[in-house]
Amino acid sequence: MLKAIMSSNLKTLDVNATLKDAAELMVSSGIRRVPVTVAGNIVGVVSARTVVKEAVSNQNWASEKLSDLAKPAITVDPDTPFRTAAKIMVKYGVGSLIVKGQGIVTERDLAKVFPRVTIPAISVGTTSVITLTSDSTVMDAAKTMVSLGISHIPVTSGADVIGMVSLRDVLKAVYEGNMSQKLSDIASKSLVYEDIDASVGDIADLIASKYVGAVPLFEGEPKAANLRGIITEWDLVRLYASMVRAHVLIKADPSKIRGLVTSLMATPRVYDVAIVYGPYDLLVTIDVEDPDLIGTTVVNSIASMSGVKETTTLIEAEQI
């Protein structure tokens, strides 16, 4: 339930406040979204992306009123399940939900409670990764983020990926009037990354423990030539909203059941394996990011294993 993960210490601004007021509050409080109120009631939300977008296109951005820029607030009950919240975020394309009278929940909050499943991260992340060089400016990063709708950009220096610049970094530079600052000065120098074989569960662990919003995936050392993808907290929210759990029964060669269980548990997308008694020997639970992948996963990853004599058609499918 959202009441377990929401932030109850709401930082709000009146609808007559300016965008500079919002930027100042975001930077000083370390937040990316500010609820906007009328007579004490939350009616909208202004985000860091809105600040950066206006700063790129409008030299008078700082004096813009929140009444002209805030997006309508999406309000939910505190007993809303995590997965339902993810579906609402994806449906309306928002990164936060106002919890009635009590707080706010963001995409990062949901990423932290994302189920630790073994779906490959590369299958749900972005494989065409945009990078910028360390000599690029904050303005370059801001324009790229606004035009492409992204919030994190790996920063390169020669053959190396030296860090990551986030929308939060850009927001701070915009507020301080440092749009011409080099990315080498503001990019995170402690690169948090994973191997291309990482699961979305591995990524969720990093997002929760390292307080990052995106994790690049490398095939080998963290070099620019080895960069294969990037997965963000929003990718996890999208996956959470659409992920499907399926159950498959297996008839197996009795002499190979022990080894088969070990192999299945090491297989991407397999959540659990249980021994059953009756016409079938094993019950395999799998998680897939797309319902169309259920059949492919069963045929290619399960039915083709040594020791598998027969698999049923899908006997149960449920969204989790």
Side-chain angles (χ1 to χ4, degrees):
M1 304 300 181
L2 293 187
K3 60 187 175 184
I5 64 170
M6 69 182 185
S7 173
S8 57
N9 184 25
L10 277 181
K11 308 286 187 180
T12 65
L13 286 174
D14 183 78
V15 71
N16 291 313
T18 66
L19 203 55
K20 184 175 182 179
D21 295 329
E24 180 180 13
L25 183 57
M26 290 177 194
V27 171
S28 63
S29 302
I31 57 180
R32 292 176 293 172
R33 297 172 181 86
V34 175
V36 178
T37 63
V38 172
N41 297 311
I42 296 174
V43 297
V45 175
V46 66
S47 68
R49 183 174 300 281
T50 298
V51 177
V52 172
K53 181 180 179 180
E54 289 298 311
V56 166
S57 60
N58 180 5
Q59 62 179 356
N60 298 317
W61 68 271
S63 60
E64 292 278 345
K65 291 292 184 67
L66 299 189
S67 56
D68 298 324
L69 297 168
K71 293 185 177 181
I74 306 297
T75 305
V76 295
D77 189 85
D79 289 328
T80 302
F82 298 150
R83 177 173 157 76
T84 301
K87 292 173 74 69
I88 293 171
M89 282 188 180
V90 171
K91 179 179 179 179
Y92 292 103
V94 297
S96 65
L97 299 172
I98 301 299
V99 183
K100 291 179 181 177
Q102 299 191 39
I104 187 171
V105 168
T106 69
E107 56 192 325
R108 179 162 297 176
D109 295 323
L110 285 182
K112 290 178 180 179
V113 296
F114 179 86
R116 285 354 187 218
V117 296
T118 62
I119 294 172
I122 193 68
S123 69
V124 299
T126 299
T127 53
S128 298
V129 185
I130 301 298
T131 64
L132 289 173
T133 66
S134 57
D135 289 333
S136 300
T137 65
V138 170
M139 178 61 86
D140 295 327
K143 288 181 177 178
T144 302
M145 289 179 178
V146 168
S147 65
L148 299 178
I150 58 178
S151 300
H152 301 84
I153 301 176
V155 178
T156 63
S157 178
D160 299 319
V161 178
I162 62 169
M164 184 87 75
V165 63
S166 69
L167 187 64
R168 193 191 298 270
D169 299 323
V170 172
L171 171 69
K172 184 174 186 295
V174 166
Y175 171 69
E176 295 174 347
N178 295 326
M179 296 286 277
S180 62
Q181 194 172 16
K182 296 291 181 66
L183 295 188
S184 57
D185 297 328
I186 71 166
S188 170
K189 300 301 189 298
S190 179
L191 184 66
V192 177
Y193 64 93
E194 259 291 2
D195 187 79
I196 192 173
D197 294 327
S199 70
V200 289
D202 297 328
I203 302 301
D205 284 338
L206 282 179
I207 287 176
S209 64
K210 301 296 185 180
Y211 200 66
V212 295
V215 178
L217 304 173
F218 292 91
E219 189 172 17
E221 296 182 346
K223 301 286 186 179
N226 297 335
L227 182 58
R228 296 293 180 265
I230 187 170
I231 184 166
T232 68
E233 54 199 359
W234 181 248
D235 291 325
L236 295 186
V237 171
R238 287 192 298 104
L239 177 58
Y240 203 175
S242 62
M243 190 163 55
V244 174
R245 175 162 291 174
H247 304 282
V248 182
L249 283 167
I250 293 176
K251 288 184 180 179
D253 183 333
S255 66
K256 295 187 176 181
I257 288 180
R258 185 184 297 273
L260 187 55
V261 170
T262 301
S263 297
L264 283 166
M265 287 303 298
T267 301
R269 298 182 178 87
V270 171
Y271 176 78
D272 188 36
V273 181
I275 296 176
V276 294
Y277 300 95
Y280 295 91
D281 302 298
L282 298 173
L283 174 64
V284 182
T285 305
I286 60 174
D287 295 313
V288 294
E289 57 274 33
D290 183 337
D292 291 338
L293 287 176
I294 293 175
T296 301
T297 300
V298 172
V299 171
N300 294 344
S301 299
I302 298 177
S304 62
M305 286 186 171
S306 175
V308 175
K309 296 164 63 177
E310 180 185 328
T311 61
T312 67
T313 53
L314 185 65
I315 62 166
E316 180 182 355
E318 60 179 353
Q319 292 189 322
I320 61 175

